[in-house]
Amino acid sequence: MTVSKKQVIEKNIPTWLTMLVATACGIIVANLYYAQPLVGLISSSIGLSASSAGLIVTLTQIGYVFGLLFIVPLGDIVENRRLVVVSLLLAAAALIVTAMTKNPMLFLTASLFIGLGSVATQVLVPFASYLASESTRGRVVGNVMSGLLLGIMLSRPLSSLVADFFSWHAIFALSATAVIVLAILLSKVLPARKPTASTNYVALLGSMWQLLRTTPILRRRAAYHACVFATFSLFWTTVPLLLSGPVFHFSQKAIALYALVGVAGAIAAPVAGRLADRGWTRPATGIALGSVIVSVLLPLIIQTNSPVGVTVLVISAILLDAGVSANLVLGQRAIFSLGPEIRSRLNGLFMAIFFFGGALGSAMSGWAYASGGWSAALWIGIIFPIIALLYFATEKK
């Protein structure tokens, strides 16, 4: 292969490869959310106490955060394709264990490693941005993030339906198979990308605090998205409790179908990417944050168990997912413009910070719903995007 051809491949990522990376991101990230609607089934099956059942999801999230901080930065010094494949094989092995074991400690340990291996998504996203040209980077990142967001949104209804038709073991077995196939496929089609940085791993990790301290746009974009992702996590943790409760009496299948509604919001991701490519990041960010506020405000104002109430919840889900999707792409587009040599570290920091926001929203949701019901959860949920919007108002043009 000549140098000129190699440059063409690196700077003009084919559409089919963009779609493959987007699909891969969706399949991988779904592993973080499959267990959420199945916690009750899994805990009773493996003999985990009710007080410890939350560890099933929590340990997966902890593993993901560890991976973001300690594995994703390796993308700046390690050949990216190899890093992706090794991470996928780790996730696949952990998924196989969760599908087969009945030992609670082994299951929880495997859950931690599922999160750790699933950070392959956050190696793939900056990888795709590296392959794209400057003029198309927002569009490429938007398309890839659409796949990732679809994976998040589809994971909960998919796991519920698979568990309903087969068993909770089946979703982990199916995912393990899909991840192994992905590892083989990506090892064949992804171009090699060896970073030019000569930094050692210890110095690499040490540089992350320096990057956070000296990169205002990273701090801003991470803060914006930590706030909206907190609301996203709070909403999607509590709305199934509302729908299954005495107000609506939704079945598990009906809740799964409702969750599918939010998928429509993923269309905002590529739109946001295109707006960013045209230099409209600031107004698009304002619209995204405003959409999240409106998505919580609507069900606060209109609370009824009539068809109108259901319609309001449907509109809220779409607006929330659209606002979160758009804001995520705008944030990643902004930080990916800072330099390819630090892109993996920036992405790891960005994701870890906003994922912490999501964990905070999830943690507060149960307490809020138990203390004051749906209204209390919504009042707390609306505070986060308002804080983000007020902080955004201080951003210099």
Side-chain angles (χ1 to χ4, degrees):
M1 179 182 292
T2 66
V3 174
S4 61
K5 287 183 179 179
K6 183 177 180 180
Q7 290 173 341
V8 169
I9 292 174
E10 289 180 344
K11 296 306 176 186
N12 293 282
I13 180 171
T15 301
W16 67 266
L17 184 55
T18 301
M19 294 300 102
L20 175 60
V21 173
T23 302
C25 285
I27 291 172
I28 299 164
V29 79
N31 292 315
L32 302 175
Y33 301 93
Y34 283 142
Q36 283 190 337
L38 308 177
V39 165
L41 288 174
I42 295 172
S43 58
S44 61
S45 176
I46 64 177
L48 199 63
S49 67
S51 60
S52 301
L55 289 174
I56 294 172
V57 175
T58 302
L59 284 172
T60 304
Q61 294 175 335
I62 289 173
Y64 194 66
V65 171
F66 278 153
L68 289 169
L69 294 174
F70 297 105
I71 294 179
V72 170
L74 284 170
D76 286 337
I77 59 173
V78 173
E79 200 281 304
N80 285 193
R81 180 175 59 191
R82 185 182 305 117
L83 183 59
V84 168
V85 172
V86 171
S87 298
L88 289 178
L89 293 177
L90 175 64
L95 286 163
I96 291 170
V97 172
T98 56
M100 298 177 65
T101 188
K102 292 186 177 179
N103 181 291
M105 290 305 298
L106 188 56
F107 187 97
L108 292 175
T109 302
S111 297
L112 181 74
F113 280 94
I114 288 174
L116 201 63
S118 295
V119 295
T121 54
Q122 299 310 323
V123 180
L124 284 170
V125 175
F127 193 176
S129 75
Y130 168 81
L131 296 174
S133 64
E134 178 64 28
S135 62
T136 63
R137 186 164 293 133
R139 176 174 59 82
V140 170
V141 171
N143 288 335
V144 171
M145 293 308 297
S146 293
L148 185 144
L149 291 163
L150 282 171
I152 294 174
M153 296 172 191
L154 289 171
S155 58
R156 297 180 184 91
L158 179 61
S159 64
S160 294
L161 292 173
V162 170
D164 189 58
F165 283 108
F166 302 101
S167 72
W168 66 263
H169 301 271
I171 189 64
F172 294 106
L174 288 171
S175 184
T177 303
V179 169
I180 291 171
V181 171
L182 267 181
I184 296 170
L185 184 59
L186 292 175
S187 70
K188 301 295 184 183
V189 304
L190 283 180
R193 193 239 160 177
K194 179 67 173 73
T196 57
S198 57
T199 309
N200 63 55
Y201 183 60
V202 175
L204 184 80
L205 293 180
S207 70
M208 293 179 71
W209 170 249
Q210 180 71 7
L211 284 174
L212 182 62
R213 191 176 64 84
T214 60
T215 314
I217 189 64
L218 170 63
R219 295 196 301 272
R220 274 193 172 273
R221 298 307 316 195
Y224 298 161
H225 206 67
C227 288
V228 298
F229 202 62
T231 300
F232 177 89
S233 297
L234 185 146
F235 181 92
W236 284 109
T237 302
T238 53
V239 76
L241 300 175
L242 172 71
L243 294 175
S244 63
V247 176
F248 291 100
H249 299 286
F250 271 32
S251 66
Q252 194 65 36
K253 289 181 181 177
I255 294 172
L257 290 173
Y258 171 76
L260 287 173
V261 171
V263 173
I267 195 173
V271 173
R274 285 170 171 80
L275 291 175
D277 285 339
R278 295 179 181 179
W280 297 346
T281 297
R282 183 175 173 81
T285 300
I287 293 171
L289 297 178
S291 296
V292 176
I293 292 173
V294 172
S295 74
V296 183
L297 191 60
L298 281 175
L300 259 176
I301 296 173
I302 305 172
Q303 295 192 27
T304 171
N305 62 353
S306 67
V308 173
V310 176
T311 302
V312 167
L313 289 175
V314 167
I315 295 171
S316 294
I318 295 173
L319 283 175
L320 174 63
D321 288 0
V324 172
S325 301
N327 193 66
L328 178 57
V329 171
L330 294 167
Q332 289 193 299
R333 175 64 171 82
I335 65 172
F336 286 166
S337 66
L338 298 178
E341 70 281 356
I342 57 173
R343 199 165 287 162
S344 291
R345 278 168 285 174
L346 291 172
N347 191 52
L349 286 166
F350 175 71
M351 296 294 294
I353 292 169
F354 93 65
F355 204 83
F356 176 79
L360 179 63
S362 296
M364 295 183 70
S365 63
W367 168 81
Y369 195 84
S371 301
W374 177 238
S375 293
L378 291 175
W379 277 115
I380 292 174
I382 203 170
I383 291 172
F384 293 111
I386 288 176
I387 291 172
L389 189 63
L390 291 174
Y391 185 32
F392 169 70
T394 68
E395 184 177 311
K396 295 179 180 179
K397 295 182 180 179

